[in-house]
Amino acid sequence: MIHRVLPSNRAWPLHDAAATRAIEEAAQRALPPHTLMARAGLAVARLALAVAPHARHAWVVAGGGNNGGDGLVAARHLAAAGRPVTVSLFGDVDRLPADARQAHEAAVAAGVPFSTEMPAHTDLVIDGLLGLGVRHPLRDETARTIERINATGLDVLSIDLPSGLPADTGAAPGQPVVRARHTLSLLSLKPGLFTADGRDQTGELWFDDLGVTVDRPPDALLSGPPRLADRRHAQHKGSFGDLIVIGGAAGMGGAATLAARAALAAGAGRVFVARLGVDGRTMDELRPESMLREAAELVQPDRLRHSTVVCGCGGGRAIARWLPAVLADAMKLVLDADALNAIAASAALRALLTNRADRGLPTVLTPHPLEAARLAGSTAADVQADRLAVAGRLARALACTVLLKGSGTVIASPGATPLVNPTGNARLGSAGSGDVLAGWLGGLWSAQRDWTGVEAASAAAWLHGRAAESGDQRLPLPASDLIGFLAAALR
């Protein structure tokens, strides 16, 4: 059965390329010959008829592997349904795998036309060029074919993966990738469909397990919506915890203010702001519930040991002074922005961070790719090349939960299956949206007293992204407006 994956209101297991190949091999041993390809090709044809019911002509671009075989089976079914279809086979017929060779023979016997050129009046391109079999760098002919598909400007239905997109990472810097309007993932959902370049290239995502039951653990999970505990009638502000925002150095007070407002919207019981720069204000006039204090008053062991702390938003260089105390004593800690930069530059602060786990104190880091690169001693390009792997390495090295922001935010924690967040869009690419996320995460974690750092990070990322999906997607979303959408998403 074909399922539409996004928007999603459930968690989905994700399997990388090696796991998917193992799943395929096990299914092939258990089923009669050619069964999997027959099911896959039929699923592709059915989806093509559903998403392009009035297409005048379909052009199937088939590669020399099993992905091309799926396309050949689909072409035969479309022809049998009376739909004009032409196949361009980019591969040596004599070297096709057994299943694909049988699919080619059946297509020829059914009278499916083959041509090296795209037929006139084509409305739909079915991309069966590479799928899971992508290897970088691409051969010149393959790269030219992908560029040719993209140059048509037509709707593209990709089989399994947009050709050129790596299944595990979703990152193909400098390499052409098919821009699909629809993608039908088969047997498993792959992590690369949801992170790095995956979302932009995949289009609308569909999934068919081809009737195969998978009994191996996932390599990652596509996170689902959080389950929030009900607020009981007898609860009070003390039930939802104290939260301290430490940040807002000179000229950057807005970052701390945004974080505090988000924490209040997320449900923290009391929110204090430890100001690192003096701006003359005694309160936030929009949210007077937020209590502004001098940092020295709040960064005290007794306060920190009973508080959720969000540290670093607009902290500048001034944040480094307060980090040793925060790392030593904060009950729950969210580290963002300049706090991460300070830790990346200091072995002593890094040691204090890793020591928190030994003392049972949970920590969540919320880096964007450049901040993650500083922590990892690499580059932002290296981070983006394999977001899941980098987040996992950082989580293990720093003994904490890492929320790596970006398209397909990754949440990794030592010993846990990594999560990929499915919500959000480019509207989150605005100044201050990261400060809102940090405060929102802290507020949820404070209010949901029993959550782990992973649960708080996953919930915050999911709701943060869902909030950005509200309203006109063509318009920017200022961070201050995002908070209102977050409250609506929470409801």
Side-chain angles (χ1 to χ4, degrees):
M1 181 181 295
I2 297 175
H3 302 270
R4 185 178 180 179
V5 178
L6 299 175
S8 174
N9 283 312
R10 53 160 288 188
W12 291 89
L14 307 179
H15 292 89
D16 64 18
T20 300
R21 290 190 178 97
I23 293 166
E24 182 178 11
E25 290 168 4
Q28 286 175 330
R29 289 193 297 268
L31 294 169
H34 315 310
T35 299
L36 270 188
M37 186 167 288
R39 292 177 181 176
L42 179 59
V44 172
R46 286 175 170 169
L47 184 58
L49 292 171
V51 300
H54 305 298
R56 292 177 294 172
H57 207 118
W59 180 34
V60 177
V61 181
N66 283 333
N67 194 248
D70 296 340
L72 290 165
V73 175
R76 178 166 55 83
H77 283 294
L78 290 173
R83 302 303 174 92
V85 60
T86 298
V87 176
S88 292
L89 179 61
F90 293 89
D92 185 345
V93 173
D94 295 330
R95 299 178 64 182
L96 292 175
D99 283 357
R101 189 180 308 118
Q102 189 272 341
H104 178 264
E105 292 169 357
V108 171
V112 174
F114 286 74
S115 173
T116 58
E117 299 298 324
M118 184 180 75
H121 310 301
T122 293
D123 297 298
L124 177 68
V125 181
I126 297 179
D127 161 33
L129 189 62
L130 295 175
L132 196 63
V134 64
R135 294 288 187 274
H136 287 129
L138 299 176
R139 293 187 304 170
D140 289 345
E141 180 188 20
T142 303
R144 286 194 297 269
T145 302
I146 291 174
E147 290 168 348
R148 183 180 172 193
I149 291 171
N150 288 339
T152 67
L154 299 172
D155 283 352
V156 178
L157 166 57
S158 285
I159 302 173
D160 210 24
L161 290 145
S163 288
L165 185 76
D168 295 351
T169 67
Q175 296 287 332
V177 177
V178 166
R179 289 191 301 272
R181 175 66 182 84
H182 300 273
T183 297
L184 175 59
S185 191
L186 301 169
L187 277 180
S188 72
L189 288 170
K190 293 80 178 171
L193 293 166
F194 302 97
T195 195
D197 300 317
R199 291 289 295 274
D200 284 329
Q201 302 302 130
T202 297
E204 192 165 4
L205 182 61
W206 308 82
F207 173 60
D208 195 326
D209 63 11
L210 304 183
V212 173
T213 300
V214 177
D215 59 1
R216 63 185 295 140
D219 299 293
L221 287 169
L222 192 71
S223 59
R227 294 184 177 181
L228 305 176
D230 291 334
R231 293 197 164 211
R232 299 189 304 276
H233 195 277
Q235 286 181 307
H236 49 83
K237 64 185 178 184
S239 305
F240 306 110
D242 285 354
L243 183 140
I244 300 172
V245 174
I246 305 174
M252 295 182 286
T257 299
L258 287 169
R261 291 177 182 176
L264 284 165
R270 296 192 301 175
V271 174
F272 300 87
V273 179
R275 302 178 300 168
L276 304 185
V278 177
D279 59 10
R281 295 183 304 142
T282 57
M283 70 175 187
D284 177 354
E285 293 183 358
L286 181 63
R287 282 287 177 262
E289 313 94 298
S290 178
M291 292 169 275
L292 279 61
R293 300 287 191 272
E294 295 304 316
E297 179 183 343
L298 295 176
V299 185
Q300 296 291 332
D302 286 345
R303 279 188 176 271
L304 295 174
R305 288 170 189 159
H306 297 90
S307 299
T308 300
V309 178
V310 177
C311 182
C313 301
R317 294 182 179 179
I319 199 70
R321 172 187 171 188
W322 305 100
L323 276 171
V326 171
L327 292 166
D329 292 317
M331 179 180 67
K332 300 176 182 177
L333 179 58
V334 179
L335 292 170
D336 186 45
D338 291 312
L340 300 175
N341 295 331
I343 290 168
S346 169
L349 291 177
R350 191 183 185 100
L352 286 172
L353 172 59
T354 57
N355 181 252
R356 284 180 56 80
D358 294 335
R359 295 184 292 123
L361 298 174
T363 311
V364 177
L365 314 186
T366 59
H368 57 53
L370 182 56
E371 290 161 350
R374 291 171 183 145
L375 289 165
S378 62
T379 67
D382 292 335
V383 172
Q384 293 296 80
D386 198 340
R387 290 169 51 77
L388 279 153
V390 171
R393 286 197 297 270
L394 278 177
R396 291 187 295 273
L398 300 175
C400 58
T401 297
V402 173
L403 185 157
L404 176 58
K405 294 181 283 195
S407 180
T409 289
V410 176
I411 298 105
S413 193
T417 301
L419 302 171
V420 181
N421 182 59
T423 63
N425 52 42
R427 299 184 81 202
L428 293 174
S430 61
S433 65
D435 303 308
V436 170
L437 175 61
W440 180 252
L441 195 167
L444 288 175
W445 204 5
S446 178
Q448 306 290 321
R449 305 296 287 272
D450 297 330
W451 274 3
T452 65
V454 171
E455 289 172 314
S458 175
W462 197 95
L463 291 164
H464 189 250
R466 177 52 59 90
E469 294 169 355
S470 304
D472 191 330
Q473 303 301 294
R474 298 167 298 177
L475 299 178
L477 181 57
S480 54
D481 293 345
L482 173 61
I483 297 170
F485 286 114
L486 277 168
L490 188 60
R491 289 193 295 270

